[in-house]
């Protein structure tokens, strides 16, 4: 008689009980299956029946997270972004080989059993009892699908993922109850479809379509027998059977799947043998996730789109709701990015400022009248390496930009000019404009009075810049003292209100300071904000908020609401036309000559800050407006003197000689083969300045009152001196006074601020 090992019977019972406590067998007990149970297993089953009854009857299936595709204005792909790389496809777009392979290796009796496979349970009990451990599970595809739902719902929260995957009796009981519900509600075909779309295949790919693209660079519907078997084999252990990292293990697993398919008569033995003999034949497509992969330097534009989605209430009432929607993905977002403009921006940026230079540049181009952002680029690319950055140098801090933006220098002066014109100041207003002048002793603000308690002064760029000047020449030469004297007359409040109407707020999110230095560009702004503000001049006084998204669809293909531009009048058409004429003078014969465009109307303004830590050119045509900044990136301040930028040495950097050419080249490429509309004319300002000093221009008519035209300025006797001002038009009531004649020309000075 054979010897019986001591305690063998009780050991078998304990092994069975252990398996019942930690696997889906507990679910089988709860389903009323007549399985032997002893000791602890019986108590566990009794307690679990109560837990089973307490579980909510309805399983809420979260939407599957998928890739979001971001497109340019013409439908070209900018980038794909996702928290999980997945593209959901219907079962009829998945290879029949793939369907058979996953069933064969994961749940051979899938079409024969319900939520629980009783035969599989009994087989697992016996095998695990014999092995002394849990070497085989009994989960059906349906139960695995439910488990994946819990994991999907956990998202990227490690604590929630741990709960969703923990091997506890409670979780298994919950899994079973929902599996029963799923079987009743969905049926086998839907369960298999959902399972193949939700499960993880390694290499950041979720669902069979993403996996097929990752390993074979093809659609799931085109998978061969060998390829299908390989993918089906990965599911059990994506890290162990990763064909990229462990091709030998992956091949063995693939061959096991093929053998199992042959045993189940899904394929013939000959087909299995032929497929087993094939090499893996991987054609790997590396994961391309996020804005870092964007084409044509559009990474920061792409990131701005993400920021808009996460912050605009149109995409969800709460921050959490918007973030969840973004992470779930499956969106197709069509943007305003114009590929011709973007390519031109990036080409100009890369030619004028090198990635390794001590300074960086950022460029934003918008469309007047629509607010559409057409291009956005910078010399420091999107990334995490040396001379790369995640800071969008074109944006406000709240949208991923620098903390404080960049001081704008003299590019802010047109805001003051527009405010003064709206306040009734004639364009011919002349000031002594000495080389140096003290800030006004007191200046009216919107809330009180600013006092120059420290006796601060301001000077012009060159000692030769001495007035008197009218507004046109002062703008062309960027005469600091002229604009400070102008501010002393009207106060800071009109300028502050005009800045607000033009969407100009410090990039930090703080309020604009109501001090005289603001008129000279002491506040930090973003290039996108400056481009959008100047677009209002091009649009004859109507400001439109910038927009980057033109349309969007959800995972179901339905259209979503998107943010719309908000347009409002910032100034009268006459004021805008006058500013346009002033700024045309800047590029025609002022500090911005190097930025002028050939063959089309353009206008703009240069800007250089104290110690040359930032240089700007902001300019526009009637159909496109752009801003260019050059300076130290991030928190680094670089004094741009004795510096080489883009291979060109600069003794001193000006807004004209570095940002100006960047703007010119970017705009010329963006506008190539496009209409060339012109600005409206303004009497007395659109005549070519008389550099000989012979004749001044004609004064403006008074507005809405009885004022007549100003008289012609008298002839200048000295070519270096200004012509005599024309007389002021009359008028009373609400009418603005007629302007005086523009002064005669004088000697031109080198480019200044």
């Amino acid at each position: 008689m054979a010897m019986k090992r001591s305690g063998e019977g009780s050991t078998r019972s304990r092994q069975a009980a252990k398996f019942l406590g930690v696997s889906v067998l507990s679910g089988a007990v709860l389903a009323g299956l007549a399985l032997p149970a002893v000791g602890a297993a019986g108590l566990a089953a009794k307690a679990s029946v109560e837990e089973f009854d307490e579980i909510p009857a309805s399983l809420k299936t979260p939407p599957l997270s998928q890739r979001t595709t971001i497109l340019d204005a013409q439908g070209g792909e900018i980038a794909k972004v996702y928290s999980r790389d997945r593209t959901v496809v219907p079962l009829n777009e998945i290879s029949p080989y793939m369907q058979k392979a996953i069933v064969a290796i994961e749940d051979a009796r899938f079409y024969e059993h319900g939520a629980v496979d009783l035969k599989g349970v009994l087989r697992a009990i016996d095998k695990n009892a014999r092995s002394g451990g849990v070497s085989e599970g009994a989960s059906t595809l349906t139960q695995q699908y439910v488990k994946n739902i819990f994991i999907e719902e956990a998202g990227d929260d490690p604590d929630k993922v741990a709960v969703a995957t923990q091997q506890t009796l409670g979780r298994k009981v919950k899994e079973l109850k929902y599996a029963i519900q799923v079987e009743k509600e969905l049926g086998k075909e839907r369960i298999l479809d959902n399972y193949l779309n939700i499960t993880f295949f390694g290499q950041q790919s979720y669902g069979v379509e993403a996996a097929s693209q990752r390993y074979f660079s093809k659609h799931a519907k085109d998978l061969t027998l060998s390829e299908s078997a390989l993918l089906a084999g990965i599911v059990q252990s994506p890290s162990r059977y990763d064909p990229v990292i462990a091709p030998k293990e992956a091949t063995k697993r693939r061959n096991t799947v093929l053998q199992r398919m042959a045993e189940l008569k899904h394929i013939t033995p000959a087909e299995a043998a032929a497929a087993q003999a094939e090499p893996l034949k991987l054609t790997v497509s590396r994961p391309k996730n996020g804005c870092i992969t964007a084409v044509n330097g559009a990474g920061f534009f792409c990131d701005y789109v993400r920021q808009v989605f996460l912050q605009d209430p149109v995409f969800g009432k709460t921050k959490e709701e918007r973030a969840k929607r973004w992470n779930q993905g499956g969106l197709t977002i069509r943007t305003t990015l114009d590929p011709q403009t973007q390519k031109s921006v990036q080409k100009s940026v890369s030619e004028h400022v090198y990635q390794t230079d001590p300074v960086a540049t950022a460029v934003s181009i918008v469309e007047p009248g629509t607010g559409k952002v057409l291009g956005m680029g910078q010399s420091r690319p999107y990334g995490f390496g040396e001379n790369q950055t995640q800071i969008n140098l074109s944006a406000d801090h709240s949208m991923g930009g620098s903390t404080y933006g960049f001081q704008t220098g003299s590019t802010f002066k047109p805001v003051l000019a527009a405010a003064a014109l709206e306040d009734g100041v004639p364009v011919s207003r002349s000031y002594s404009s000495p080389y140096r002048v003290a800030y006004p002793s007191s200046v009216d603000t919107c809330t009180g009075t600013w006092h120059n308690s420290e006796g601060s002064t301001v000077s012009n760029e060159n000692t030769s810049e001495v007035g008197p000047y009218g507004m046109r020449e002062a703008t062309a030469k960027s005469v600091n003292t002229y604009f400070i004297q102008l501010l002393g007359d009207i106060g800071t409040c009109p300028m502050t209100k005009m800045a607000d109407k033009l969407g100009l707020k410090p990039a930090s999110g703080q309020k604009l300071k109501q001090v005289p230095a603001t008129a000279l560009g002491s506040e930090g702004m973003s290039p996108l904000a400056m481009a959008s503000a100047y677009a209002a001049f091009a649009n004859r006084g109507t400001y439109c908020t910038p927009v980057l998204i033109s349309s969007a669809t959800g995972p179901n293909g339905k259209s979503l609401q998107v943010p719309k531009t908000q347009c409002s009048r910032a100034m009268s058409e006459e004021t805008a036309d006058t500013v346009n004429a002033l700024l045309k003078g800047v590029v025609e014969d002022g500090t911005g000559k190097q930025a002028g465009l050939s063959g089309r109307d353009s206008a703009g303004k240069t800007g250089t800050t104290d110690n040359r830590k930032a240089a700007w050119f902001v300019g526009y045509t009637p159909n496109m407006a752009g801003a260019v900044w050059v300076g130290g990136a991030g928190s680094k301040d670089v004094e741009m003197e004795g510096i080489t930028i883009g291979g060109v040495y600069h003794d001193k950097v000006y807004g004209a000689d570095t940002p100006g050419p960047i703007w010119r080249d970017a705009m010329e490429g963006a506008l190539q083969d496009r209409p060339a509309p012109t600005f409206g004319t303004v009497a007395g300002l659109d005549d070519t300045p008389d550099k000989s000093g012979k004749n001044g221009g004609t004064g403006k008519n008074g507005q809405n009152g009885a004022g007549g035209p100003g008289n012609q300025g008298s002839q200048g006797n000295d070519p270096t001196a200004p012509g005599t001002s024309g007389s002021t038009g009359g008028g009373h009531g609400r009418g603005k006074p007629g302007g005086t004649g523009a002064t005669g020309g004088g000697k031109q000075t080198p480019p200044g601020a």
Side-chain angles (χ1 to χ4, degrees):
M1 183 176 177
M3 293 286 291
K4 184 178 181 181
R5 281 182 289 178
S6 175
E8 185 179 30
S10 60
T11 298
R12 288 282 183 90
S13 298
R14 284 197 299 272
Q15 294 293 350
K18 176 181 178 182
F19 186 68
L20 284 168
V22 298
S23 74
V24 294
L25 298 182
S26 58
V29 173
L30 297 175
L33 299 175
L35 297 176
V38 296
L43 294 174
K46 181 180 179 181
S48 297
V49 170
E50 297 173 1
E51 293 179 17
F52 189 86
D53 291 336
E54 292 174 359
I55 297 172
S58 178
L59 171 65
K60 294 182 179 179
T61 306
L64 296 184
S65 58
Q66 302 182 62
R67 289 183 293 187
T68 285
T69 303
I70 300 177
L71 307 174
D72 63 31
Q74 294 182 3
E77 183 176 309
I78 297 173
K80 282 187 170 67
V81 297
Y82 50 83
S83 58
R84 291 185 175 176
D85 186 8
R86 177 189 284 119
T87 300
V88 175
V89 293
L91 200 60
N92 62 8
E93 292 186 21
I94 299 173
S95 167
Y97 286 128
M98 185 67 217
Q99 299 177 41
K100 292 176 181 178
I102 200 73
V103 169
I105 198 63
E106 290 295 321
D107 187 1
R109 300 184 65 256
F110 174 63
Y111 291 104
E112 301 170 26
H113 60 66
V116 177
D117 181 8
L118 180 55
K119 288 185 178 180
V121 168
L122 295 174
R123 183 181 65 249
I125 287 177
D126 182 67
K127 186 171 182 179
N128 291 316
R130 290 178 183 280
S131 67
V134 184
S135 61
E136 182 175 314
S139 291
T140 63
L141 270 183
T142 306
Q143 289 172 285
Q144 291 181 49
Y145 167 58
V146 170
K147 178 182 177 180
N148 274 291
I149 289 176
F150 296 154
I151 295 172
E152 183 73 19
E153 195 171 32
D156 297 323
D157 188 319
D159 294 332
K160 290 182 179 179
V161 171
V163 171
T165 57
Q166 62 187 349
Q167 294 294 320
T168 64
L169 181 61
R171 189 188 66 78
K172 289 293 184 179
V173 169
K174 185 178 182 181
E175 181 182 291
L176 173 70
K177 182 166 186 176
Y178 288 140
I180 294 171
Q181 173 204 334
V182 166
E183 283 275 353
K184 290 180 180 179
E185 293 181 356
L186 299 184
K188 294 296 186 180
E189 294 295 310
R190 284 284 304 281
I191 291 171
L192 180 59
D193 183 3
N194 291 359
Y195 176 81
L196 285 169
N197 277 297
I198 197 173
T199 198
F200 180 53
F201 287 87
Q203 289 282 326
Q204 302 180 39
S205 55
Y206 290 80
V208 68
E209 176 69 13
S212 183
Q213 293 287 354
R214 180 75 71 253
Y215 297 111
F216 302 111
S217 300
K218 61 168 60 175
H219 293 295
K221 64 183 177 65
D222 299 322
L223 288 169
T224 65
L225 171 59
S226 176
E227 292 165 348
S228 297
L230 178 71
L231 295 186
I234 291 173
V235 172
Q236 185 184 80
S237 180
S239 57
R240 178 181 176 183
Y241 300 125
D242 186 328
V244 178
I245 299 172
K248 290 183 179 180
E249 284 293 313
T251 301
K252 290 179 183 178
R253 179 64 176 169
R254 178 201 67 177
N255 292 345
T256 298
V257 175
L258 290 167
Q259 183 62 35
R260 184 63 175 150
M261 291 177 74
E263 292 172 356
L264 296 170
K265 301 186 183 317
H266 293 326
I267 58 175
T268 66
E271 287 176 317
Q276 287 173 336
E278 291 182 18
L280 292 185
K281 294 181 181 178
L282 299 179
T283 308
V284 178
S285 295
R286 295 295 177 186
K288 292 185 177 180
N289 177 26
C291 294
I292 196 171
T293 66
V295 298
N296 296 323
F300 292 99
F301 180 93
C302 169
D303 190 67
Y304 202 110
V305 169
R306 182 181 69 89
Q307 293 286 355
V308 170
F309 197 99
L310 294 175
Q311 296 187 40
D312 198 299
V314 74
F315 294 113
K317 293 182 180 179
T318 66
K319 179 176 67 174
E320 292 75 19
E321 184 180 342
R322 294 189 294 271
K324 184 177 181 180
R325 195 173 194 179
W326 178 263
N327 290 331
Q328 285 173 350
L331 309 165
T332 299
I333 299 175
R334 192 156 185 152
T335 70
T336 61
L337 190 75
D338 175 62
Q340 178 178 328
T341 300
Q342 182 62 24
K343 287 178 183 177
S344 185
V345 164
Q346 203 57 32
K347 182 175 184 291
S348 182
V349 163
S350 61
E351 288 179 350
H352 288 282
V353 182
Y354 299 157
Q355 180 179 340
T356 55
D357 282 345
V359 295
T361 186
V363 181
S364 288
I365 295 181
V366 302
E367 184 175 64
T370 67
K372 292 179 180 178
V373 180
L374 305 178
M376 181 184 287
Q378 61 189 56
S379 59
R380 296 285 171 87
Y382 194 107
F384 303 90
E386 187 176 1
N387 296 317
Q388 296 180 335
T389 183
Q390 298 89 58
I391 298 173
N392 186 347
L393 301 174
S394 283
D396 288 347
H397 179 61
S398 64
M399 302 302 288
S402 65
T403 304
Y404 300 107
F406 311 103
Q407 289 186 339
T408 60
S410 294
T411 59
F412 201 84
K413 288 174 181 173
V415 179
L416 172 58
L421 292 168
E422 285 287 283
D423 205 46
V425 175
V427 72
S428 56
R429 174 69 60 84
S430 176
Y431 291 102
S432 60
S433 312
Y435 166 68
R436 183 181 300 277
V437 69
Y439 281 109
S441 58
S442 62
V443 176
D444 291 337
T445 70
C446 295
T447 56
T449 305
W450 176 87
H451 297 282
N452 185 6
S453 57
E454 298 179 357
S456 300
T457 63
V458 63
S459 62
N460 297 327
E461 176 69 21
N462 299 297
T463 55
S464 60
E465 287 177 352
V466 177
Y469 291 119
M471 191 179 292
R472 179 178 187 178
E473 195 174 10
T475 303
K477 293 182 177 181
S478 200
V479 180
N480 292 334
T481 56
Y482 176 92
F483 284 94
I484 288 303
Q485 289 180 308
L486 173 62
L487 184 77
D489 275 358
I490 71 168
T492 65
C493 195
M495 178 184 68
T496 302
K497 290 181 177 180
M498 178 58 66
D500 186 61
K501 291 176 182 178
L502 292 172
L504 286 176
K505 297 179 176 62
S508 63
Q510 299 175 350
K511 291 184 177 181
L512 196 71
K513 293 185 179 68
Q514 293 194 52
V515 296
T518 297
L520 303 181
S522 63
E523 292 277 49
M525 302 286 177
S526 67
L528 179 57
M530 293 299 293
S532 299
Y534 272 53
F537 299 141
N539 195 35
R540 301 198 71 197
T542 297
Y543 169 77
C544 297
T545 57
V547 291
L548 289 82
I549 300 174
S550 57
S551 65
T553 57
N556 55 6
K558 291 184 179 180
S559 296
L560 305 177
Q561 282 191 314
V562 298
K564 302 294 184 183
T565 187
Q566 302 296 318
C567 297
S568 57
R569 179 152 295 283
M571 66 196 78
S572 68
E573 289 185 355
E574 182 179 3
T575 292
D577 290 345
T578 303
V579 173
N580 293 340
L582 292 172
L583 297 186
K584 276 182 67 179
V586 173
V587 298
E588 288 174 351
D589 55 19
T591 60
K593 277 185 178 181
Q594 296 181 63
L597 301 178
S598 58
R600 62 175 69 237
D601 274 5
S602 62
K605 185 71 187 73
T606 57
T608 310
T609 66
D610 289 345
N611 300 315
R612 289 176 168 75
K613 292 180 180 179
W616 290 76
F617 186 83
V618 188
Y620 54 96
T621 67
N623 51 350
M624 211 173 274
V628 178
W629 160 87
V630 176
S635 60
K636 297 180 180 179
D637 282 333
V638 179
E639 296 185 7
M640 293 184 289
E641 296 186 9
I643 190 172
T644 298
I645 303 174
V648 178
Y649 177 79
H650 299 267
D651 181 44
K652 294 181 179 181
V653 168
Y654 295 91
D657 63 18
T658 304
I662 296 173
W663 182 89
R664 178 197 63 218
D665 292 351
M667 293 289 282
E668 282 185 344
L671 290 165
Q672 185 176 0
D673 300 324
R674 290 180 170 170
T678 58
F679 294 120
T681 59
V682 178
L685 283 177
D686 285 292
D687 302 326
T688 301
D690 190 349
K691 295 181 181 179
S692 67
K694 290 182 178 179
N695 294 304
T698 304
K700 288 175 62 180
N701 292 332
Q703 294 179 2
N704 303 324
N711 298 325
Q712 185 179 24
S714 62
Q715 180 174 342
N717 296 318
D718 182 353
T720 64
T724 306
S725 298
S727 62
T728 303
H732 299 281
R734 296 175 60 192
K736 294 182 181 178
T740 58
T743 60
K747 289 182 178 179
Q748 298 297 307
T749 58

